Amino acid sequence: MHAFSDSTTATPTAVPVPPSLSLPMIEAAFPRQLHPYWPQLQEKTRAWLLEKRLMPADKVEEYADGLCYTDLMAGYYIGAPDEVLQAIADYSAWFFVWDDRHDRDIVHRRPAAWRRLRGLLHVALDSPEDHLHHADPLVAGFADSVTRLYSFLPDSWNSRFARHFHAVIEAYDQEFHNRIEGMIPTVEDYLELRRLTFAHAIWTDLLEPSAGMELPDSVRQHPAFRRAALLSQEFAAWYNDLCSFPKEIAGDEVHNLGISLITHKGLTLEETVTEVRRRVEDCVSDFLVAEREALQFADLLADGTLWGTQLAAAVRACVGNMRNWFSSVYWFHHESGRYRVDSWDDRSTPPYVNNEAAGEK
């Protein structure tokens, strides 16, 4: 089928959505929004990738816009101040490049290069200003984006973000070893690890600078808020698994919900696609319930005081952007060249990566 996505390209086009990936509920009940800063965002993130040498100039020229990394963030963090959205978009673009480096280190069997990078990222996360001019562009780019993210909210938020991303780095290390050793995690282990490799907590943390306020622990840990946040992230991770299934099978991946289901539950390929799709659809319907409860919670916070009014508004902004994540993720997977495996010369080697990335050759 085809669906009009209100594409962010100059001329909106019909984006083909295969029936197995089509979610009519998203298309009907989750209208797509786009931050008005998006055109500048795309231009500046493209320039940032060049400035920080995170992608070769020819790759940036040919692929950066088509990968739609800025579209994804501009569809999620609606209402964020322009400088906050720019920092988030650059960090997100860095994250994708890091993911590609991690993949190439695995494919080319470069454990020493990965260990070195892993250690440097841990250190740079705690002292980014000291790594702004590091020789490895991936470390310097990370330090630059993190320094900017740390400038918006108090140190308590920065410490939480760092704690959450340290865990992401370690999860990537676990994935590295799983893939090198051909270890396919059980479904339960995979779901736990996926919450870290997808960085559920990070994208949820970034809702707060977008809303202009660090939320108190009592709000972030409230069951209604936590459930809505988790469902938005689970949807994204599992829909990503559904869409990237062909790419990851071609690349001898071991980290995909579908691959774990086939290996450990004995499902056929057809049964696996049906099961992953069921989980994705359940996230959507369950979110609609959680969203109502989270907004009711926001109403209770509006107790007539200035603080209560501001806090309730921030919670509503965060919950609204949790909703935006569904449509942004959905259309990203059908617009981005990151998932067009059938158009690649080599289905196991994305054309937008530097296949001779820094590290052991």
Side-chain angles (χ1 to χ4, degrees), residues 303-339:
D303 58 5
T305 66
L306 177 59
W307 167 247
T309 299
Q310 293 173 336
L311 187 57
V315 170
R316 290 189 190 102
C318 290
V319 175
N321 280 333
M322 292 172 196
R323 161 176 274 272
N324 289 332
W325 194 225
F326 286 82
S327 58
S328 192
V329 163
Y330 181 74
W331 291 115
F332 169 70
H333 281 86
H334 302 299
E335 293 177 347
S336 175
R338 195 171 178 87
Y339 304 100

PDB file of all heavy atoms in Angstrom, residues 303-339:
ATOM      1  N   ASP A 303      -2.382  22.279  40.745  1.00  0.00           N
ATOM      2  CA  ASP A 303      -3.087  22.499  42.020  1.00  0.00           C
ATOM      3  C   ASP A 303      -3.388  23.959  42.305  1.00  0.00           C
ATOM      4  O   ASP A 303      -3.742  24.321  43.430  1.00  0.00           O
ATOM      5  CB  ASP A 303      -2.267  21.917  43.168  1.00  0.00           C
ATOM      6  CG  ASP A 303      -0.865  22.529  43.234  1.00  0.00           C
ATOM      7  OD1 ASP A 303      -0.569  23.455  42.452  1.00  0.00           O
ATOM      8  OD2 ASP A 303      -0.057  22.059  44.079  1.00  0.00           O
ATOM      9  N   GLY A 304      -3.241  24.810  41.304  1.00  0.00           N
ATOM     10  CA  GLY A 304      -3.531  26.226  41.501  1.00  0.00           C
ATOM     11  C   GLY A 304      -2.314  27.065  41.825  1.00  0.00           C
ATOM     12  O   GLY A 304      -2.372  28.300  41.755  1.00  0.00           O
ATOM     13  N   THR A 305      -1.200  26.430  42.173  1.00  0.00           N
ATOM     14  CA  THR A 305       0.034  27.171  42.434  1.00  0.00           C
ATOM     15  C   THR A 305       0.784  27.372  41.119  1.00  0.00           C
ATOM     16  O   THR A 305       0.551  26.661  40.131  1.00  0.00           O
ATOM     17  CB  THR A 305       0.936  26.409  43.412  1.00  0.00           C
ATOM     18  OG1 THR A 305       1.373  25.188  42.784  1.00  0.00           O
ATOM     19  CG2 THR A 305       0.189  26.090  44.705  1.00  0.00           C
ATOM     20  N   LEU A 306       1.718  28.331  41.126  1.00  0.00           N
ATOM     21  CA  LEU A 306       2.524  28.567  39.928  1.00  0.00           C
ATOM     22  C   LEU A 306       3.363  27.329  39.603  1.00  0.00           C
ATOM     23  O   LEU A 306       3.449  26.909  38.441  1.00  0.00           O
ATOM     24  CB  LEU A 306       3.436  29.771  40.140  1.00  0.00           C
ATOM     25  CG  LEU A 306       4.399  30.106  38.976  1.00  0.00           C
ATOM     26  CD1 LEU A 306       3.616  30.386  37.700  1.00  0.00           C
ATOM     27  CD2 LEU A 306       5.295  31.287  39.343  1.00  0.00           C
ATOM     28  N   TRP A 307       3.955  26.732  40.644  1.00  0.00           N
ATOM     29  CA  TRP A 307       4.762  25.535  40.433  1.00  0.00           C
ATOM     30  C   TRP A 307       3.918  24.398  39.866  1.00  0.00           C
ATOM     31  O   TRP A 307       4.323  23.715  38.919  1.00  0.00           O
ATOM     32  CB  TRP A 307       5.408  25.115  41.750  1.00  0.00           C
ATOM     33  CG  TRP A 307       6.009  23.724  41.738  1.00  0.00           C
ATOM     34  CD1 TRP A 307       5.595  22.640  42.430  1.00  0.00           C
ATOM     35  CD2 TRP A 307       7.143  23.293  40.970  1.00  0.00           C
ATOM     36  NE1 TRP A 307       6.382  21.545  42.154  1.00  0.00           N
ATOM     37  CE2 TRP A 307       7.350  21.909  41.261  1.00  0.00           C
ATOM     38  CE3 TRP A 307       8.000  23.918  40.065  1.00  0.00           C
ATOM     39  CZ2 TRP A 307       8.373  21.173  40.693  1.00  0.00           C
ATOM     40  CZ3 TRP A 307       9.021  23.172  39.491  1.00  0.00           C
ATOM     41  CH2 TRP A 307       9.200  21.816  39.806  1.00  0.00           C
ATOM     42  N   GLY A 308       2.749  24.190  40.417  1.00  0.00           N
ATOM     43  CA  GLY A 308       1.880  23.136  39.941  1.00  0.00           C
ATOM     44  C   GLY A 308       1.463  23.355  38.495  1.00  0.00           C
ATOM     45  O   GLY A 308       1.415  22.405  37.701  1.00  0.00           O
ATOM     46  N   THR A 309       1.189  24.592  38.136  1.00  0.00           N
ATOM     47  CA  THR A 309       0.806  24.922  36.760  1.00  0.00           C
ATOM     48  C   THR A 309       1.947  24.644  35.798  1.00  0.00           C
ATOM     49  O   THR A 309       1.754  24.055  34.716  1.00  0.00           O
ATOM     50  CB  THR A 309       0.392  26.399  36.665  1.00  0.00           C
ATOM     51  OG1 THR A 309      -0.739  26.623  37.519  1.00  0.00           O
ATOM     52  CG2 THR A 309       0.023  26.780  35.240  1.00  0.00           C
ATOM     53  N   GLN A 310       3.160  25.049  36.190  1.00  0.00           N
ATOM     54  CA  GLN A 310       4.326  24.834  35.327  1.00  0.00           C
ATOM     55  C   GLN A 310       4.649  23.346  35.201  1.00  0.00           C
ATOM     56  O   GLN A 310       4.971  22.861  34.106  1.00  0.00           O
ATOM     57  CB  GLN A 310       5.534  25.590  35.886  1.00  0.00           C
ATOM     58  CG  GLN A 310       5.389  27.098  35.825  1.00  0.00           C
ATOM     59  CD  GLN A 310       6.516  27.822  36.534  1.00  0.00           C
ATOM     60  OE1 GLN A 310       7.173  27.272  37.442  1.00  0.00           O
ATOM     61  NE2 GLN A 310       6.776  29.060  36.139  1.00  0.00           N
ATOM     62  N   LEU A 311       4.553  22.629  36.317  1.00  0.00           N
ATOM     63  CA  LEU A 311       4.860  21.207  36.298  1.00  0.00           C
ATOM     64  C   LEU A 311       3.853  20.446  35.447  1.00  0.00           C
ATOM     65  O   LEU A 311       4.222  19.578  34.642  1.00  0.00           O
ATOM     66  CB  LEU A 311       4.858  20.673  37.726  1.00  0.00           C
ATOM     67  CG  LEU A 311       5.311  19.227  37.936  1.00  0.00           C
ATOM     68  CD1 LEU A 311       6.723  19.021  37.381  1.00  0.00           C
ATOM     69  CD2 LEU A 311       5.250  18.869  39.421  1.00  0.00           C
ATOM     70  N   ALA A 312       2.580  20.770  35.595  1.00  0.00           N
ATOM     71  CA  ALA A 312       1.548  20.109  34.799  1.00  0.00           C
ATOM     72  C   ALA A 312       1.765  20.367  33.312  1.00  0.00           C
ATOM     73  O   ALA A 312       1.610  19.456  32.485  1.00  0.00           O
ATOM     74  CB  ALA A 312       0.166  20.591  35.229  1.00  0.00           C
ATOM     75  N   ALA A 313       2.141  21.600  32.959  1.00  0.00           N
ATOM     76  CA  ALA A 313       2.379  21.931  31.553  1.00  0.00           C
ATOM     77  C   ALA A 313       3.564  21.141  31.004  1.00  0.00           C
ATOM     78  O   ALA A 313       3.535  20.654  29.860  1.00  0.00           O
ATOM     79  CB  ALA A 313       2.630  23.429  31.409  1.00  0.00           C
ATOM     80  N   ALA A 314       4.611  20.989  31.828  1.00  0.00           N
ATOM     81  CA  ALA A 314       5.786  20.229  31.378  1.00  0.00           C
ATOM     82  C   ALA A 314       5.437  18.758  31.177  1.00  0.00           C
ATOM     83  O   ALA A 314       5.873  18.132  30.199  1.00  0.00           O
ATOM     84  CB  ALA A 314       6.919  20.374  32.388  1.00  0.00           C
ATOM     85  N   VAL A 315       4.645  18.199  32.072  1.00  0.00           N
ATOM     86  CA  VAL A 315       4.239  16.796  31.935  1.00  0.00           C
ATOM     87  C   VAL A 315       3.387  16.612  30.682  1.00  0.00           C
ATOM     88  O   VAL A 315       3.572  15.655  29.924  1.00  0.00           O
ATOM     89  CB  VAL A 315       3.490  16.318  33.188  1.00  0.00           C
ATOM     90  CG1 VAL A 315       2.853  14.954  32.957  1.00  0.00           C
ATOM     91  CG2 VAL A 315       4.445  16.259  34.383  1.00  0.00           C
ATOM     92  N   ARG A 316       2.462  17.534  30.446  1.00  0.00           N
ATOM     93  CA  ARG A 316       1.636  17.435  29.229  1.00  0.00           C
ATOM     94  C   ARG A 316       2.508  17.518  27.973  1.00  0.00           C
ATOM     95  O   ARG A 316       2.261  16.799  26.987  1.00  0.00           O
ATOM     96  CB  ARG A 316       0.589  18.543  29.216  1.00  0.00           C
ATOM     97  CG  ARG A 316      -0.512  18.380  30.264  1.00  0.00           C
ATOM     98  CD  ARG A 316      -1.635  19.383  30.055  1.00  0.00           C
ATOM     99  NE  ARG A 316      -2.557  19.383  31.192  1.00  0.00           N
ATOM    100  CZ  ARG A 316      -2.568  20.306  32.145  1.00  0.00           C
ATOM    101  NH1 ARG A 316      -1.718  21.333  32.094  1.00  0.00           N
ATOM    102  NH2 ARG A 316      -3.433  20.220  33.138  1.00  0.00           N
ATOM    103  N   ALA A 317       3.522  18.386  28.004  1.00  0.00           N
ATOM    104  CA  ALA A 317       4.424  18.500  26.852  1.00  0.00           C
ATOM    105  C   ALA A 317       5.178  17.197  26.628  1.00  0.00           C
ATOM    106  O   ALA A 317       5.326  16.727  25.483  1.00  0.00           O
ATOM    107  CB  ALA A 317       5.402  19.654  27.062  1.00  0.00           C
ATOM    108  N   CYS A 318       5.650  16.589  27.710  1.00  0.00           N
ATOM    109  CA  CYS A 318       6.379  15.322  27.594  1.00  0.00           C
ATOM    110  C   CYS A 318       5.474  14.212  27.064  1.00  0.00           C
ATOM    111  O   CYS A 318       5.868  13.452  26.169  1.00  0.00           O
ATOM    112  CB  CYS A 318       6.959  14.924  28.952  1.00  0.00           C
ATOM    113  SG  CYS A 318       8.319  15.958  29.524  1.00  0.00           S
ATOM    114  N   VAL A 319       4.274  14.123  27.595  1.00  0.00           N
ATOM    115  CA  VAL A 319       3.342  13.079  27.153  1.00  0.00           C
ATOM    116  C   VAL A 319       2.928  13.320  25.702  1.00  0.00           C
ATOM    117  O   VAL A 319       2.806  12.378  24.910  1.00  0.00           O
ATOM    118  CB  VAL A 319       2.115  13.015  28.082  1.00  0.00           C
ATOM    119  CG1 VAL A 319       1.073  12.016  27.548  1.00  0.00           C
ATOM    120  CG2 VAL A 319       2.541  12.627  29.496  1.00  0.00           C
ATOM    121  N   GLY A 320       2.739  14.568  25.334  1.00  0.00           N
ATOM    122  CA  GLY A 320       2.414  14.875  23.944  1.00  0.00           C
ATOM    123  C   GLY A 320       3.507  14.428  22.998  1.00  0.00           C
ATOM    124  O   GLY A 320       3.237  13.908  21.902  1.00  0.00           O
ATOM    125  N   ASN A 321       4.754  14.592  23.425  1.00  0.00           N
ATOM    126  CA  ASN A 321       5.860  14.162  22.567  1.00  0.00           C
ATOM    127  C   ASN A 321       6.054  12.649  22.589  1.00  0.00           C
ATOM    128  O   ASN A 321       6.529  12.078  21.604  1.00  0.00           O
ATOM    129  CB  ASN A 321       7.147  14.897  22.951  1.00  0.00           C
ATOM    130  CG  ASN A 321       7.176  16.302  22.361  1.00  0.00           C
ATOM    131  OD1 ASN A 321       6.553  16.560  21.331  1.00  0.00           O
ATOM    132  ND2 ASN A 321       7.891  17.203  23.004  1.00  0.00           N
ATOM    133  N   MET A 322       5.669  11.995  23.672  1.00  0.00           N
ATOM    134  CA  MET A 322       5.634  10.525  23.634  1.00  0.00           C
ATOM    135  C   MET A 322       4.693  10.067  22.510  1.00  0.00           C
ATOM    136  O   MET A 322       4.996   9.127  21.768  1.00  0.00           O
ATOM    137  CB  MET A 322       5.159   9.967  24.975  1.00  0.00           C
ATOM    138  CG  MET A 322       6.109  10.169  26.136  1.00  0.00           C
ATOM    139  SD  MET A 322       5.324   9.659  27.699  1.00  0.00           S
ATOM    140  CE  MET A 322       6.405  10.423  28.906  1.00  0.00           C
ATOM    141  N   ARG A 323       3.566  10.731  22.394  1.00  0.00           N
ATOM    142  CA  ARG A 323       2.619  10.423  21.309  1.00  0.00           C
ATOM    143  C   ARG A 323       3.271  10.695  19.946  1.00  0.00           C
ATOM    144  O   ARG A 323       3.143   9.894  19.007  1.00  0.00           O
ATOM    145  CB  ARG A 323       1.354  11.265  21.484  1.00  0.00           C
ATOM    146  CG  ARG A 323       0.511  11.387  20.225  1.00  0.00           C
ATOM    147  CD  ARG A 323      -0.771  12.147  20.464  1.00  0.00           C
ATOM    148  NE  ARG A 323      -1.804  11.225  20.936  1.00  0.00           N
ATOM    149  CZ  ARG A 323      -2.603  10.535  20.131  1.00  0.00           C
ATOM    150  NH1 ARG A 323      -2.479  10.622  18.809  1.00  0.00           N
ATOM    151  NH2 ARG A 323      -3.519   9.736  20.630  1.00  0.00           N
ATOM    152  N   ASN A 324       3.983  11.820  19.825  1.00  0.00           N
ATOM    153  CA  ASN A 324       4.609  12.163  18.550  1.00  0.00           C
ATOM    154  C   ASN A 324       5.652  11.136  18.117  1.00  0.00           C
ATOM    155  O   ASN A 324       5.916  10.972  16.922  1.00  0.00           O
ATOM    156  CB  ASN A 324       5.283  13.539  18.639  1.00  0.00           C
ATOM    157  CG  ASN A 324       4.282  14.675  18.700  1.00  0.00           C
ATOM    158  OD1 ASN A 324       3.180  14.554  18.179  1.00  0.00           O
ATOM    159  ND2 ASN A 324       4.645  15.766  19.343  1.00  0.00           N
ATOM    160  N   TRP A 325       6.252  10.452  19.083  1.00  0.00           N
ATOM    161  CA  TRP A 325       7.269   9.454  18.784  1.00  0.00           C
ATOM    162  C   TRP A 325       6.714   8.348  17.889  1.00  0.00           C
ATOM    163  O   TRP A 325       7.420   7.817  17.029  1.00  0.00           O
ATOM    164  CB  TRP A 325       7.774   8.874  20.097  1.00  0.00           C
ATOM    165  CG  TRP A 325       9.038   8.053  20.103  1.00  0.00           C
ATOM    166  CD1 TRP A 325       9.206   6.864  20.768  1.00  0.00           C
ATOM    167  CD2 TRP A 325      10.302   8.336  19.486  1.00  0.00           C
ATOM    168  NE1 TRP A 325      10.496   6.410  20.600  1.00  0.00           N
ATOM    169  CE2 TRP A 325      11.185   7.290  19.814  1.00  0.00           C
ATOM    170  CE3 TRP A 325      10.752   9.380  18.678  1.00  0.00           C
ATOM    171  CZ2 TRP A 325      12.506   7.246  19.377  1.00  0.00           C
ATOM    172  CZ3 TRP A 325      12.072   9.343  18.230  1.00  0.00           C
ATOM    173  CH2 TRP A 325      12.926   8.289  18.584  1.00  0.00           C
ATOM    174  N   PHE A 326       5.439   8.006  18.059  1.00  0.00           N
ATOM    175  CA  PHE A 326       4.842   6.924  17.268  1.00  0.00           C
ATOM    176  C   PHE A 326       4.839   7.272  15.780  1.00  0.00           C
ATOM    177  O   PHE A 326       5.296   6.482  14.949  1.00  0.00           O
ATOM    178  CB  PHE A 326       3.423   6.629  17.757  1.00  0.00           C
ATOM    179  CG  PHE A 326       3.357   5.888  19.058  1.00  0.00           C
ATOM    180  CD1 PHE A 326       3.473   6.554  20.273  1.00  0.00           C
ATOM    181  CD2 PHE A 326       3.205   4.508  19.081  1.00  0.00           C
ATOM    182  CE1 PHE A 326       3.417   5.871  21.473  1.00  0.00           C
ATOM    183  CE2 PHE A 326       3.159   3.810  20.278  1.00  0.00           C
ATOM    184  CZ  PHE A 326       3.267   4.492  21.486  1.00  0.00           C
ATOM    185  N   SER A 327       4.311   8.428  15.435  1.00  0.00           N
ATOM    186  CA  SER A 327       4.239   8.786  14.018  1.00  0.00           C
ATOM    187  C   SER A 327       5.629   9.078  13.463  1.00  0.00           C
ATOM    188  O   SER A 327       5.933   8.723  12.315  1.00  0.00           O
ATOM    189  CB  SER A 327       3.321   9.989  13.813  1.00  0.00           C
ATOM    190  OG  SER A 327       3.768  11.107  14.555  1.00  0.00           O
ATOM    191  N   SER A 328       6.488   9.708  14.261  1.00  0.00           N
ATOM    192  CA  SER A 328       7.815  10.050  13.765  1.00  0.00           C
ATOM    193  C   SER A 328       8.626   8.792  13.462  1.00  0.00           C
ATOM    194  O   SER A 328       9.251   8.675  12.404  1.00  0.00           O
ATOM    195  CB  SER A 328       8.548  10.915  14.799  1.00  0.00           C
ATOM    196  OG  SER A 328       9.709  11.491  14.231  1.00  0.00           O
ATOM    197  N   VAL A 329       8.600   7.832  14.376  1.00  0.00           N
ATOM    198  CA  VAL A 329       9.307   6.568  14.165  1.00  0.00           C
ATOM    199  C   VAL A 329       8.715   5.809  12.977  1.00  0.00           C
ATOM    200  O   VAL A 329       9.449   5.262  12.140  1.00  0.00           O
ATOM    201  CB  VAL A 329       9.237   5.698  15.445  1.00  0.00           C
ATOM    202  CG1 VAL A 329       9.578   4.244  15.149  1.00  0.00           C
ATOM    203  CG2 VAL A 329      10.167   6.259  16.511  1.00  0.00           C
ATOM    204  N   TYR A 330       7.404   5.781  12.904  1.00  0.00           N
ATOM    205  CA  TYR A 330       6.730   5.032  11.836  1.00  0.00           C
ATOM    206  C   TYR A 330       7.170   5.531  10.463  1.00  0.00           C
ATOM    207  O   TYR A 330       7.625   4.747   9.612  1.00  0.00           O
ATOM    208  CB  TYR A 330       5.221   5.168  12.002  1.00  0.00           C
ATOM    209  CG  TYR A 330       4.389   4.415  10.980  1.00  0.00           C
ATOM    210  CD1 TYR A 330       4.265   3.032  11.032  1.00  0.00           C
ATOM    211  CD2 TYR A 330       3.698   5.099   9.976  1.00  0.00           C
ATOM    212  CE1 TYR A 330       3.493   2.345  10.111  1.00  0.00           C
ATOM    213  CE2 TYR A 330       2.923   4.418   9.051  1.00  0.00           C
ATOM    214  CZ  TYR A 330       2.819   3.048   9.117  1.00  0.00           C
ATOM    215  OH  TYR A 330       2.050   2.359   8.202  1.00  0.00           O
ATOM    216  N   TRP A 331       7.056   6.841  10.238  1.00  0.00           N
ATOM    217  CA  TRP A 331       7.366   7.348   8.908  1.00  0.00           C
ATOM    218  C   TRP A 331       8.867   7.358   8.640  1.00  0.00           C
ATOM    219  O   TRP A 331       9.297   7.185   7.484  1.00  0.00           O
ATOM    220  CB  TRP A 331       6.757   8.740   8.724  1.00  0.00           C
ATOM    221  CG  TRP A 331       5.267   8.672   8.654  1.00  0.00           C
ATOM    222  CD1 TRP A 331       4.372   9.202   9.535  1.00  0.00           C
ATOM    223  CD2 TRP A 331       4.484   7.992   7.667  1.00  0.00           C
ATOM    224  NE1 TRP A 331       3.091   8.898   9.162  1.00  0.00           N
ATOM    225  CE2 TRP A 331       3.125   8.162   8.016  1.00  0.00           C
ATOM    226  CE3 TRP A 331       4.798   7.264   6.520  1.00  0.00           C
ATOM    227  CZ2 TRP A 331       2.096   7.621   7.254  1.00  0.00           C
ATOM    228  CZ3 TRP A 331       3.768   6.719   5.763  1.00  0.00           C
ATOM    229  CH2 TRP A 331       2.434   6.911   6.139  1.00  0.00           C
ATOM    230  N   PHE A 332       9.666   7.532   9.674  1.00  0.00           N
ATOM    231  CA  PHE A 332      11.123   7.479   9.513  1.00  0.00           C
ATOM    232  C   PHE A 332      11.552   6.157   8.875  1.00  0.00           C
ATOM    233  O   PHE A 332      12.410   6.128   7.985  1.00  0.00           O
ATOM    234  CB  PHE A 332      11.782   7.651  10.882  1.00  0.00           C
ATOM    235  CG  PHE A 332      13.260   7.355  10.900  1.00  0.00           C
ATOM    236  CD1 PHE A 332      14.165   8.203  10.271  1.00  0.00           C
ATOM    237  CD2 PHE A 332      13.766   6.232  11.564  1.00  0.00           C
ATOM    238  CE1 PHE A 332      15.532   7.934  10.292  1.00  0.00           C
ATOM    239  CE2 PHE A 332      15.118   5.961  11.585  1.00  0.00           C
ATOM    240  CZ  PHE A 332      16.005   6.819  10.953  1.00  0.00           C
ATOM    241  N   HIS A 333      10.951   5.076   9.311  1.00  0.00           N
ATOM    242  CA  HIS A 333      11.359   3.775   8.807  1.00  0.00           C
ATOM    243  C   HIS A 333      10.986   3.566   7.343  1.00  0.00           C
ATOM    244  O   HIS A 333      11.547   2.688   6.687  1.00  0.00           O
ATOM    245  CB  HIS A 333      10.767   2.663   9.678  1.00  0.00           C
ATOM    246  CG  HIS A 333      11.532   2.456  10.945  1.00  0.00           C
ATOM    247  ND1 HIS A 333      11.291   3.189  12.081  1.00  0.00           N
ATOM    248  CD2 HIS A 333      12.566   1.628  11.236  1.00  0.00           C
ATOM    249  CE1 HIS A 333      12.138   2.803  13.024  1.00  0.00           C
ATOM    250  NE2 HIS A 333      12.909   1.866  12.548  1.00  0.00           N
ATOM    251  N   HIS A 334      10.067   4.353   6.834  1.00  0.00           N
ATOM    252  CA  HIS A 334       9.684   4.198   5.434  1.00  0.00           C
ATOM    253  C   HIS A 334      10.273   5.277   4.543  1.00  0.00           C
ATOM    254  O   HIS A 334      10.277   5.135   3.312  1.00  0.00           O
ATOM    255  CB  HIS A 334       8.161   4.148   5.317  1.00  0.00           C
ATOM    256  CG  HIS A 334       7.583   3.038   6.137  1.00  0.00           C
ATOM    257  ND1 HIS A 334       7.899   1.720   5.910  1.00  0.00           N
ATOM    258  CD2 HIS A 334       6.787   3.047   7.238  1.00  0.00           C
ATOM    259  CE1 HIS A 334       7.304   0.968   6.812  1.00  0.00           C
ATOM    260  NE2 HIS A 334       6.630   1.745   7.629  1.00  0.00           N
ATOM    261  N   GLU A 335      10.809   6.327   5.140  1.00  0.00           N
ATOM    262  CA  GLU A 335      11.442   7.397   4.356  1.00  0.00           C
ATOM    263  C   GLU A 335      12.959   7.286   4.351  1.00  0.00           C
ATOM    264  O   GLU A 335      13.611   7.691   3.393  1.00  0.00           O
ATOM    265  CB  GLU A 335      11.029   8.764   4.904  1.00  0.00           C
ATOM    266  CG  GLU A 335       9.561   9.075   4.718  1.00  0.00           C
ATOM    267  CD  GLU A 335       9.141  10.406   5.336  1.00  0.00           C
ATOM    268  OE1 GLU A 335       9.920  10.975   6.124  1.00  0.00           O
ATOM    269  OE2 GLU A 335       8.034  10.862   5.026  1.00  0.00           O
ATOM    270  N   SER A 336      13.537   6.769   5.424  1.00  0.00           N
ATOM    271  CA  SER A 336      14.986   6.767   5.561  1.00  0.00           C
ATOM    272  C   SER A 336      15.660   5.715   4.695  1.00  0.00           C
ATOM    273  O   SER A 336      15.222   4.561   4.631  1.00  0.00           O
ATOM    274  CB  SER A 336      15.366   6.528   7.028  1.00  0.00           C
ATOM    275  OG  SER A 336      16.778   6.402   7.163  1.00  0.00           O
ATOM    276  N   GLY A 337      16.745   6.117   4.056  1.00  0.00           N
ATOM    277  CA  GLY A 337      17.535   5.179   3.274  1.00  0.00           C
ATOM    278  C   GLY A 337      18.223   4.130   4.116  1.00  0.00           C
ATOM    279  O   GLY A 337      18.802   3.175   3.579  1.00  0.00           O
ATOM    280  N   ARG A 338      18.146   4.272   5.447  1.00  0.00           N
ATOM    281  CA  ARG A 338      18.788   3.313   6.340  1.00  0.00           C
ATOM    282  C   ARG A 338      18.163   1.923   6.244  1.00  0.00           C
ATOM    283  O   ARG A 338      18.814   0.919   6.585  1.00  0.00           O
ATOM    284  CB  ARG A 338      18.702   3.843   7.765  1.00  0.00           C
ATOM    285  CG  ARG A 338      19.620   3.163   8.755  1.00  0.00           C
ATOM    286  CD  ARG A 338      19.628   3.878  10.095  1.00  0.00           C
ATOM    287  NE  ARG A 338      20.489   3.180  11.045  1.00  0.00           N
ATOM    288  CZ  ARG A 338      21.796   3.369  11.178  1.00  0.00           C
ATOM    289  NH1 ARG A 338      22.394   4.257  10.405  1.00  0.00           N
ATOM    290  NH2 ARG A 338      22.495   2.696  12.067  1.00  0.00           N
ATOM    291  N   TYR A 339      16.933   1.841   5.773  1.00  0.00           N
ATOM    292  CA  TYR A 339      16.227   0.556   5.762  1.00  0.00           C
ATOM    293  C   TYR A 339      15.906   0.057   4.355  1.00  0.00           C
ATOM    294  O   TYR A 339      15.187  -0.921   4.214  1.00  0.00           O
ATOM    295  CB  TYR A 339      14.951   0.677   6.609  1.00  0.00           C
ATOM    296  CG  TYR A 339      15.289   1.143   8.007  1.00  0.00           C
ATOM    297  CD1 TYR A 339      15.124   2.465   8.369  1.00  0.00           C
ATOM    298  CD2 TYR A 339      15.860   0.269   8.932  1.00  0.00           C
ATOM    299  CE1 TYR A 339      15.493   2.917   9.621  1.00  0.00           C
ATOM    300  CE2 TYR A 339      16.233   0.711  10.187  1.00  0.00           C
ATOM    301  CZ  TYR A 339      16.052   2.033  10.530  1.00  0.00           C
ATOM    302  OH  TYR A 339      16.440   2.475  11.764  1.00  0.00           O
TER     303      TYR A 339
END
